[in-house]
């Protein structure tokens, strides 16, 4: 399936092919990226090429029990590697911290709200999680969310729910269904135009969020300089620094969807702060810490500090530097590593290993 957008400044390539999952949310996100690009390159022509991923096809198992990386990206990355498409739009939280050889994140767009959102059933529309009756069923496919719920809201019962946003909301709205509420990323609901379905936004003090949640990442071939140049206009400085830090944290821990790992980050007055945490599956064991660091940020004219002309630019957790200062990107990466190492000293790896083993034993 494909759809074409007509827009070219320079005719190096007749049509730029953009990969996307087939879900409504994925297509909304992909069209948003194209719209942002056409504002800078009004004559470029884009064609959206859609495909199903393994994560879209396997809906009868929870994500951790499938037990594979790249559940929502592998098929798209194979098409990118073969040249059938030129770049892919991802929800950054779905993208592994290590990309296949030759692939890179050519852009990270300005982040939407990274928080988790509670959507209540009609029966409990005026309730919050804390005021729901004991034993109320909360739907989520995330170990991160279920661990935090089990720890912070022990009166609730957590059950797995899979499917795209439309499917999950339909299950919630089923009067004969089991769910009192479901928890979703606020960003996805807002992008779908369903902000009015949000009953409660969970602050980081109540629930840390997934690495990269709320941000869109654009994956391309590292060697494709035409596309990398095209994508430069999409970068958002605050988002890229926060997300590089978050991804560096997760990469150092070796985490993923098979263990409950979460973060919260902020950039204020040139200081980046990140909190990270690891839980046991039942939420009773928690390992957490917060670290912060000052940053070199662009001057008022938007020019970043000069890079050394004798050094080849490298990737930072698969992110290309483009116009962002390598000094700042390196500092963000190191801050994430510092946080991970702090948790590792507190036995976070043992907690994660136990969680993974419990997931495998439950298959």
């Amino acid at each position: 399936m494909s759809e074409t957008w007509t827009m070219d400044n320079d005719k190096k390539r007749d049509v730029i092919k953009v990969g996307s999952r087939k879900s409504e949310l994925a297509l909304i996100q992909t069209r948003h990226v194209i719209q942002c690009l056409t504002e800078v390159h009004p004559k470029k022509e884009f064609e959206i090429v859609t495909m199903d991923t393994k994560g879209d096809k396997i809906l009868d198992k929870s994500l951790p029990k499938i037990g594979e990386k790249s559940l929502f990206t592998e098929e798209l990355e194979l098409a990118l590697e073969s040249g059938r498409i030129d770049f892919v739009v991802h929800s950054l939280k779905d993208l592994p911290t290590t990309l296949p050889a030759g692939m890179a994140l050519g852009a990270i767009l300005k982040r939407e709200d990274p928080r988790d959102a509670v959507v209540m059933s009609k029966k409990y529309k005026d309730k919050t999680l804390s005021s729901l009756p004991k034993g109320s069923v909360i739907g989520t496919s995330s170990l991160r969310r279920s661990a935090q719920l089990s720890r912070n809201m022990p009166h609730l019962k957590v059950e797995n729910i899979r499917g795209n946003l439309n499917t999950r909301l339909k299950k919630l709205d089923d009067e004969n269904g089991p769910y009192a509420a479901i928890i979703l990323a606020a960003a996805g609901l807002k992008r779908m135009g369903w902000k009015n379905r949000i009953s409660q936004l969970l602050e980081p003090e109540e629930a840390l969020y997934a690495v990269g949640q709320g941000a869109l990442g654009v994956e391309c071939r590292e060697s494709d300089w035409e596309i990398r140049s095209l994508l430069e206009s999409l970068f958002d400085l605050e988002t890229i620094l926060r997300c590089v830090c978050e991804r560096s944290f997760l990469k150092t821990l070796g985490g993923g969807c098979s263990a409950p790992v979460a973060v919260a980050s902020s950039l204020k007055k040139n200081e980046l702060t990140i909190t990270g945490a690891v839980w046991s599956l039942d939420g009773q064991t928690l390992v957490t810490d917060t670290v912060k660091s000052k940053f070199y940020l662009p001057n008022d004219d938007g020019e970043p500090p000069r890079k050394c002309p004798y050094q080849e630019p490298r990737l930072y957790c698969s992110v290309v530097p483009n116009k962002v200062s390598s000094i700042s990107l390196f500092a963000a990466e190191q801050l994430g590593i510092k946080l991970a190492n702090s948790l590792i000293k507190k036995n976070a790896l043992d907690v994660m290993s136990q969680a993974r083993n419990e997931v495998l034993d439950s298959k």
Side-chain angles (χ1 to χ4, degrees):
M1 174 183 174
S2 67
E3 58 183 75
T4 300
W5 295 57
T6 303
M7 308 154 214
D8 191 320
N9 273 348
D10 36 13
K11 275 260 184 185
K12 293 182 181 177
R13 139 177 9 189
D14 291 334
V15 178
I16 295 171
K17 297 188 176 181
V18 186
S20 172
R21 292 164 61 191
K22 290 182 178 179
S23 74
E24 185 178 355
L25 176 59
L27 286 169
I28 286 173
Q29 293 176 164
T30 299
R31 292 177 188 129
H32 171 68
V33 169
I34 291 174
Q35 186 60 47
C36 290
L37 287 172
T38 58
E39 290 175 4
V40 181
H41 307 278
K43 296 181 181 179
K44 287 289 184 186
E45 183 176 343
F46 298 89
E47 178 183 345
I48 298 177
V49 180
T50 60
M51 56 192 75
D52 287 318
T53 65
K54 186 172 294 184
D56 296 311
K57 296 173 184 175
I58 304 176
L59 297 176
D60 58 344
K61 293 182 180 180
S62 65
L63 297 178
K65 289 185 178 182
I66 300 174
E68 295 183 35
K69 296 180 180 180
S70 307
L71 285 173
F72 296 105
T73 62
E74 184 177 7
E75 289 80 359
L76 290 158
E77 286 172 335
L78 288 173
L80 185 59
E81 183 179 20
S82 69
R84 288 189 287 133
I85 55 179
D86 298 303
F87 65 81
V88 185
V89 178
H90 299 284
S91 292
L92 192 60
K93 68 183 179 67
D94 294 333
L95 202 59
T97 53
T98 300
L99 299 183
M103 300 296 125
L105 271 167
I108 298 178
L109 283 74
K110 184 175 178 61
R111 195 174 206 168
E112 177 55 272
D113 190 339
R115 293 174 293 178
D116 280 339
V118 180
V119 181
M120 292 288 179
S121 66
K122 294 178 182 178
K123 181 179 179 181
Y124 297 112
K125 63 179 181 178
D126 297 322
K127 298 284 188 179
T128 63
L129 287 180
S130 61
S131 64
L132 282 172
K134 183 177 180 179
S136 295
V137 176
I138 310 300
T140 177
S141 61
S142 162
L143 294 181
R144 168 185 60 82
R145 290 172 179 147
S146 63
Q148 293 184 84
L149 278 172
S150 297
R151 182 180 181 87
N152 301 329
M153 304 281 176
H155 68 292
L156 302 177
K157 182 180 178 182
V158 182
E159 287 192 5
N160 182 62
I161 186 171
R162 286 290 315 280
N164 58 36
L165 289 185
N166 309 62
T167 300
R168 296 187 200 194
L169 288 171
K170 185 176 180 180
K171 290 178 180 179
L172 174 67
D173 294 337
D174 182 354
E175 293 183 0
N176 298 315
Y179 304 107
I182 59 176
I183 301 181
L184 302 164
L189 288 164
K190 291 180 178 182
R191 289 182 180 126
M192 291 283 283
W194 294 337
K195 183 178 179 180
N196 64 326
R197 291 300 308 261
I198 296 176
S199 306
Q200 180 182 0
L201 286 168
L202 299 178
E203 299 300 332
E205 297 78 22
E206 301 171 284
L208 300 182
Y209 42 81
V211 166
Q213 185 162 302
L216 298 180
V218 184
E219 186 178 9
C220 64
R221 292 179 291 276
E222 185 180 355
S223 60
D224 193 338
W225 292 99
E226 181 189 351
I227 294 298
R228 284 178 56 170
S229 176
L230 180 78
L231 298 176
E232 275 190 355
S233 62
L234 298 177
F235 265 105
D236 178 73
L237 178 62
E238 177 181 340
T239 302
I240 185 177
L241 292 178
R242 290 173 60 190
C243 289
V244 164
C245 186
E246 293 173 17
R247 286 171 63 80
S248 176
F249 162 70
L250 186 61
K251 182 178 181 179
T252 305
L253 277 182
C257 65
S258 59
V261 180
V263 297
S265 66
S266 63
L267 180 61
K268 297 178 181 178
K269 295 182 179 179
N270 290 22
E271 184 172 71
L272 179 58
T273 302
I274 180 171
T275 297
V278 171
W279 294 263
S280 58
L281 288 189
D282 62 7
Q284 297 312 299
T285 301
L286 167 63
V287 182
T288 186
D289 200 359
T290 299
V291 296
K292 58 183 66 177
S293 178
K294 294 285 187 180
F295 276 74
Y296 295 101
L297 296 179
N299 303 318
D300 291 340
D301 60 3
E303 282 294 318
R306 293 293 178 187
K307 302 173 187 174
C308 175
Y310 306 108
Q311 292 181 345
E312 284 292 323
R314 73 171 180 88
L315 304 182
Y316 297 87
C317 283
S318 301
V319 178
V320 300
N322 280 338
K323 296 180 180 179
V324 181
S325 164
S326 291
I327 297 172
S328 294
L329 287 171
F330 179 75
E333 190 177 62
Q334 291 302 304
L335 189 62
I337 292 171
K338 179 180 179 180
L339 176 60
N341 285 334
S342 173
L343 267 59
I344 289 169
K345 288 179 181 178
K346 299 178 182 181
N347 297 318
L349 296 185
D350 291 339
V351 176
M352 293 172 65
S353 178
Q354 179 63 32
R356 290 192 188 101
N357 290 337
E358 289 180 25
V359 169
L360 290 173
D361 290 342
S362 67
K363 284 186 177 183

